[in-house]
Amino acid sequence: MNEFMKMAVKEAREGMNKNHGGPFGCVIVKKGILVARTHNRVLETNDPTAHAEILAIREASAILKSFDLSDCEIYSTSQPCPMCYSAIHWARIKKLYFGTTKDDVSAIGFDDSFIYDVIKGNAVVQQFDAINIDRDECQGLLNEWIEKPDKKMY
Ligand SMILES: [Zn+2]
């Protein structure tokens, strides 16, 4: 078994046994060296975004003092949900290793297929209404950003 996936599984098991959250663990590695090791903490923290991958990205970014993790690899015990999948993109991580698939996870009750349906525009039922309001007023912020001389792109 892969050494880093083994760490992620150990982390997931510890979190699960402490009732911190579901059976999900994650490890971020930079050039073969462990940077962050986390598990799902949704139940412990009452934070619906406290998925292992999100926490690992936050931890690795803090440790490396960079929002750009393009020289890192991520190991997740399960195929990331759409939120984490997006976060991996935002972090610019170039390689994802995952153990179980989203179908395996769905089979034990963690079904995120409805989010994929929403993203693809195939959703039959929407969980919430998304209403576009005050576009012009909000556009002012974008214009201010364009003009901001000391902006830093990320
Ligand atoms: Zn997730």
Side-chain angles (χ1 to χ4, degrees):
M1 183 177 181
N2 178 281
E3 172 191 356
F4 293 115
M5 188 60 87
K6 194 181 282 187
M7 288 181 195
V9 168
K10 185 170 182 253
E11 184 72 24
R13 187 168 287 119
E14 285 176 14
M16 175 175 64
N17 290 336
K18 289 176 181 171
N19 293 319
H20 287 176
F24 310 110
C26 183
V27 162
I28 290 181
V29 175
K30 179 179 176 178
K31 296 180 176 138
I33 299 187
L34 176 72
V35 177
R37 180 172 50 191
T38 58
H39 59 261
N40 183 293
R41 293 182 182 271
V42 169
L43 298 177
E44 179 196 23
T45 62
N46 288 313
D47 176 355
T49 68
H51 291 193
E53 298 91 336
I54 298 290
L55 299 179
I57 288 169
R58 288 178 182 163
E59 191 173 306
S61 298
I63 289 168
L64 299 173
K65 299 185 184 345
S66 175
F67 54 78
D68 183 344
L69 302 180
S70 56
D71 51 1
C72 293
E73 296 182 338
I74 189 165
Y75 293 77
S76 182
T77 57
S78 293
Q79 189 172 11
C81 76
M83 172 180 69
C84 295
Y85 197 69
S86 298
I88 292 166
H89 280 88
W90 286 120
R92 300 178 186 165
I93 294 171
K94 295 291 187 286
K95 195 165 283 184
L96 159 69
Y97 298 93
F98 63 93
T100 56
T101 68
K102 59 185 169 67
D103 293 333
D104 297 328
V105 172
S106 176
I108 64 158
F110 294 96
D111 185 6
D112 53 16
S113 61
F114 69 99
I115 303 175
Y116 288 102
D117 291 342
V118 170
I119 292 169
K120 286 187 274 186
N122 300 335
V124 178
V125 178
Q126 299 281 343
Q127 184 173 313
F128 59 87
D129 296 322
I131 302 155
N132 190 195
I133 61 169
D134 296 328
R135 183 178 176 201
D136 290 342
E137 291 78 1
C138 294
Q139 179 65 41
L141 284 171
L142 306 188
N143 297 338
E144 287 172 43
W145 171 260
I146 291 167
E147 299 301 323
K148 184 174 164 56
D150 61 341
K151 66 178 170 279
K152 184 176 181 188
M153 288 307 297
Y154 57 89

